Amino acid sequence: MAAESRNVPRGRFAPSPTGELHLGHASTALLAWLSVRARGGQFVLRLEDLDRARVRPSFYDRILDDLAWLGLDWDEAPDRGGPHAPYVQSLRLASYRSAFDRLRSEGRLYPCFCSRADVAAAAGAPQAPGDEAHYPGTCRNLDTDDVRRRLASGGRHAWRFRVDGRAPRFVDRVRGPWGGSEPGDFVVWRSDEVPAYQLAVVVDDAAMRIGEVVRGDDLLASTPRQLLLYEALAAEPPVFGHVPLLLGTDRVRLSKRHGGVTLAELKRGGLSAASIVGRLAERLGLRPVAEPTAPGALADGFALECLRPAPEGIVLDPKELH
């Protein structure tokens, strides 16, 4: 494993073991890997397994096997260890609790007794698919004694971060300057006593000294929230690059419902990893035609800034792979 240095680029890929990796995952993983390998950097693989209802133990090793078959490698991961182990979120709960306690002690959080239905009804405006409803602040200024009584009685509640009207701006390595509306107070600790994605990903990336986060366009809206948490925790934020999502011919994000799109299915169907990488390279604009190629052959001269933004997504018909 390469020695860690502040001068060495560090990127990561952090899938959830809730299903088999599909072509959309492969596309994002390839771009994240290329971005750091093109600059002689280190690649970290982390498994985000806090979704207890959907996580399946059988997918932990399968994810690593599929990525290795595709031709990607890594410097730190659950199977290799590293200076920032463990690389599985369910084994890092103490770190999240420590960050939560710090934010709470500094008055940055408040308990929210609203259900999801309450929030959706109060927010009113329709939300983008996958986005969290904008919280209207229902519990932000509850009477202190009332809050104390409800907590003492075991009232079900989450904990929200006070945003205070700010909307952080940043420069995305793919999308350029970005600044949306103020995100609203957001959940950092769920009512089922599990850290929310926003908090866990910030704590992990800061602890693992990740300097660059390459991920799908669907997570672009999460970035302002995470930047606020980096600031509150006095941690240096990474640079971000949000890359196009792959869509089926129905222009819906690729998933298992499209059939024949998981790496395991494609492998069983006789396709080579090189042919898949070649097709992805062509769709992403890295190569003019789809020719079998290894990931390493794409690294020379690669830069996220040269990737063509496609906020509407990129259509890939799985049949083309055959």
Side-chain angles (χ1 to χ4, degrees):
M1 181 175 63
E4 183 180 337
S5 167
R6 289 186 180 274
N7 298 321
V8 176
R10 284 175 60 80
R12 52 82 162 169
F13 181 59
S16 298
T18 56
E20 293 183 332
L21 292 186
H22 55 67
L23 288 169
H25 297 128
S27 175
T28 301
L30 175 64
L31 292 171
W33 184 88
L34 285 173
S35 187
V36 293
R37 291 302 194 222
R39 294 172 290 146
Q42 298 170 344
F43 193 57
V44 177
L45 182 60
R46 183 175 72 233
L47 297 180
E48 299 188 341
D49 63 342
L50 295 181
D51 189 346
R52 297 168 176 169
R54 298 176 59 219
V55 164
R56 297 292 180 269
S58 60
F59 293 127
Y60 286 72
D61 290 336
R62 199 173 306 175
I63 284 174
L64 274 64
D65 291 343
D66 285 347
L67 290 173
W69 175 75
L70 195 65
L72 306 185
D73 62 351
W74 42 86
D75 301 283
E76 302 167 30
D79 65 331
R80 298 198 61 175
H84 308 292
Y87 296 92
V88 178
Q89 282 190 332
S90 59
L91 303 178
R92 302 180 60 82
L93 297 178
S95 298
Y96 311 139
R97 174 61 74 173
S98 177
F100 167 78
D101 289 342
R102 172 179 173 177
L103 294 172
R104 183 180 176 185
S105 69
E106 294 175 355
R108 307 301 297 266
L109 310 180
Y110 63 89
C112 174
F113 301 92
C114 300
S115 66
R116 288 188 178 182
D118 293 334
V119 174
Q127 305 296 313
D131 198 12
E132 180 182 317
H134 192 289
Y135 184 65
T138 308
C139 296
R140 182 183 244 266
N141 297 309
L142 290 178
D143 178 76
T144 302
D145 290 336
D146 181 31
V147 170
R148 188 178 297 113
R149 284 193 298 270
R150 295 175 76 166
L151 291 176
S153 65
R156 188 175 177 85
H157 63 282
W159 288 85
R160 290 185 180 270
F161 181 85
R162 295 181 183 272
V163 173
D164 295 329
R166 288 183 296 150
R169 303 182 66 84
F170 63 99
V171 177
D172 190 90
R173 291 192 62 196
V174 179
R175 301 287 293 274
W178 187 266
S181 60
E182 183 266 317
D185 298 347
F186 56 91
V187 172
V188 296
W189 204 268
R190 293 169 15 189
S191 58
D192 57 357
E193 284 298 309
V194 174
Y197 166 77
Q198 308 291 358
L199 180 64
V201 73
V202 167
V203 170
D204 286 345
D205 284 342
M208 296 177 186
R209 296 172 65 180
I210 300 300
E212 174 185 274
V213 170
V214 177
R215 58 191 184 185
D217 269 332
D218 55 326
L219 291 171
L220 183 60
S222 294
T223 309
R225 299 168 184 165
Q226 292 165 22
L227 289 173
L228 289 170
L229 287 175
Y230 277 107
E231 179 183 335
L233 294 171
E236 182 73 21
V239 295
F240 292 90
H242 289 86
V243 300
L245 300 177
L246 292 188
L247 311 178
T249 54
D250 55 0
R251 304 203 65 83
V252 176
R253 183 166 56 174
L254 275 182
S255 68
K256 288 190 293 183
R257 66 176 171 272
H258 290 93
V261 297
T262 70
L263 296 185
E265 289 172 323
L266 296 171
K267 182 180 180 180
R268 288 195 296 269
L271 285 177
S272 68
S275 66
I276 294 172
V277 171
R279 175 59 69 180
L280 291 176
E282 181 268 334
R283 276 292 183 264
L284 293 167
L286 307 182
R287 289 288 186 272
V289 295
E291 296 178 342
T293 185
L298 302 171
D300 186 27
F302 177 86
L304 279 178
E305 289 81 0
C306 297
L307 193 66
R308 182 176 64 248
E312 70 285 356
I314 296 175
V315 173
L316 172 60
D317 185 351
K319 294 178 182 178
E320 296 177 1
L321 294 166
H322 299 274

